[in-house]
Amino acid sequence: MSSHHSPDPAQDRWDVHRLPPAEGRTFLVTGGNAGIGYFVAEQLAGTGATVVLGSRDSAKAEAAMASIRSRVPGARVRRVPLDLADLSSLKASVDALGPHGLDAVVHNAGVLLDEPQRRETGDGHELMFATNHLGHFALTWWLAPLLTAAPASRVVTIGSFTAKSVDLDDLQSTHGYQPKRAYARSKLAQMLFGFELDRRLRAAGSSTLSVVVHPGGALDSLTPSRPPFHVRTAGARLRALPLGVLLQGKEAAAWSAVRAVLDPSVRGGQLWGPRVLGMRGLPAPEPVRGILADTELAARVWAASRDLTGVDPSSRFG
Ligand SMILES: NC(=O)c1ccc[n+]([C@@H]2O[C@H](COP(=O)([O-])OP(=O)(O)OC[C@H]3O[C@@H](n4cnc5c(N)ncnc54)[C@H](OP(=O)(O)O)[C@@H]3O)[C@@H](O)[C@H]2O)c1
């Protein structure tokens, strides 16, 4: 990571454990019932904001909300049903949010398959590309009126470092399917979406910002327990200790997304990730370069996503 883009750590006053208050604001976290999304929701709930978990599983969402309430006294947290793999269901999810403004959405939910068989959604799209990218692309269209109704709202998209080493010649991995490659493609498409969205928002004169973040490398075995849905045994904790040199837990992996939601100094079009080799540590801005800065590719992926979903999120902001 080039250092000229990073704030001097000694000058950086952002404290991940003392977040600015955000009473009266509302944040939606997709996949907020587990993993990194859970910790994004828990940390945002600590600001006094209303946090909405977008979750396809009501029992898991209930468990996550109970955990947040037990740790954050007076937490304002609720759930809307959300299945990103079913494009026709998204309208109902956004209707359930209610008519109020939305200050930020964190596009966190993601699926990483490892079986060798390629899978498709009911809409006929490759499952990881559909869930991780197309679902969030279309959700942004549905959310646009709520985001526009809030002052200086933000769309925060969670990408991955794996995205930088893949091509997008076959968006939906129809030839020679490899699960890791299909996943990386979905994450690259998401990151290009986040950058392209910001360019389009600026062109439209919108006050909404789009910010891309990535969590580094996050393991459940380095993640503190949140019973009943995540329990780390003492043995697992010990075995994972050496991995902590390079990687981190999901609580820390949430920090970049939380900062991208809350920090007034974060700008649209930026990329934030963990400071130490982009794998672990406190959030820092990273240069946007290489394939992530390919505006022609981003425009091509945008057009393909618009054709596949039938909506163009940028047409609804302004
Ligand atoms: N962990 C890492 O090292 C790492 C590295 C780079 C990027 N990331 C990214 O970080 C994000 C979170 O990862 P994680 O490690 O926290 O994953 P995780 O623990 O597997 O959690 C994924 C979340 O996404 C939800 N989800 C999956 N499919 C969904 C669908 N169709 N509709 C709605 N929600 C759905 C899951 O809900 P259910 O509980 O219902 O399955 C769960 O809440 C992902 O975008 C991932 O690509 C993670």
Side-chain angles (χ1 to χ4, degrees):
M1 302 305 132
S2 79
S3 56
H4 66 278
H5 284 267
S6 302
D8 174 357
Q11 299 284 313
D12 186 7
R13 293 182 190 280
W14 189 259
D15 183 343
V16 295
H17 299 295
R18 291 173 60 94
L19 299 172
E23 278 101 0
R25 294 162 74 189
T26 303
F27 305 131
L28 169 64
V29 184
T30 71
N33 63 268
I36 295 167
Y38 167 80
F39 286 98
V40 171
E42 183 187 283
Q43 290 165 30
L44 289 176
T47 67
T50 297
V51 179
V52 187
L53 312 185
S55 170
R56 58 183 172 170
D57 185 316
S58 63
K60 285 187 185 175
E62 285 302 330
M65 290 192 290
S67 174
I68 292 175
R69 290 192 186 106
S70 74
R71 289 172 177 276
V72 181
R76 296 182 183 90
V77 58
R78 63 190 184 91
R79 171 214 176 217
V80 293
L82 176 70
D83 183 358
L84 290 161
D86 178 1
L87 291 174
S88 70
S89 70
L90 299 180
K91 180 184 185 309
S93 301
V94 173
D95 285 348
L97 274 172
H100 316 293
L102 182 66
D103 295 278
V105 55
V106 181
H107 289 333
N108 158 80
V111 58
L112 166 57
L113 303 175
D114 53 14
E115 313 110 57
Q117 297 85 9
R118 182 177 178 279
R119 287 174 59 188
E120 288 191 352
T121 63
D123 297 317
H125 304 136
E126 189 279 314
L127 184 61
M128 288 186 274
F129 185 74
T131 308
N132 304 354
H133 172 60
L134 292 177
H136 284 124
F137 183 89
L139 181 64
T140 307
W141 186 83
W142 286 107
L143 290 174
L146 303 184
L147 289 163
T148 304
S153 57
R154 295 181 180 192
V155 177
V156 176
T157 301
I158 301 196
S160 168
F161 58 88
T162 62
K164 294 174 194 167
S165 50
V166 76
D167 65 79
L168 278 180
D169 299 340
D170 180 13
L171 275 179
Q172 300 206 55
S173 303
T174 48
H175 307 290
Y177 177 77
Q178 290 172 21
K180 279 206 178 72
R181 192 170 61 187
Y183 171 76
R185 283 181 174 141
S186 75
K187 299 310 289 183
L188 176 57
Q190 280 193 273
M191 295 173 90
L192 291 173
F193 157 76
F195 296 126
E196 180 68 13
L197 177 63
D198 198 69
R199 285 188 287 272
R200 290 175 185 236
L201 291 170
R202 300 289 70 75
S206 169
S207 61
T208 301
L209 306 181
S210 171
V211 184
V212 180
V213 303
H214 75 95
L219 298 179
D220 285 321
S221 54
L222 290 169
T223 304
S225 286
R226 290 295 185 269
F229 63 89
H230 170 64
V231 178
R232 180 176 56 163
T233 62
R237 185 186 181 141
L238 271 176
R239 281 192 299 278
L241 272 180
L243 295 170
V245 176
L246 194 61
L247 305 171
Q248 59 188 355
K250 295 190 176 181
E251 185 180 34
W255 289 340
S256 291
V258 169
R259 184 162 184 175
V261 168
L262 295 173
D263 184 350
S265 77
V266 169
R267 301 274 164 256
Q270 281 187 329
L271 171 64
W272 284 74
R275 178 167 280 151
V276 183
L277 303 171
M279 293 301 271
R280 70 170 173 86
L282 296 170
E286 291 180 17
V288 180
R289 61 185 174 204
I291 198 164
L292 297 182
D294 187 336
T295 53
E296 231 167 83
L297 179 63
R300 201 147 47 80
V301 174
W302 187 282
S305 308
R306 180 197 58 208
D307 294 347
L308 289 167
T309 59
V311 294
D312 184 339
S314 61
S315 68
R316 269 189 139 186
F317 288 91

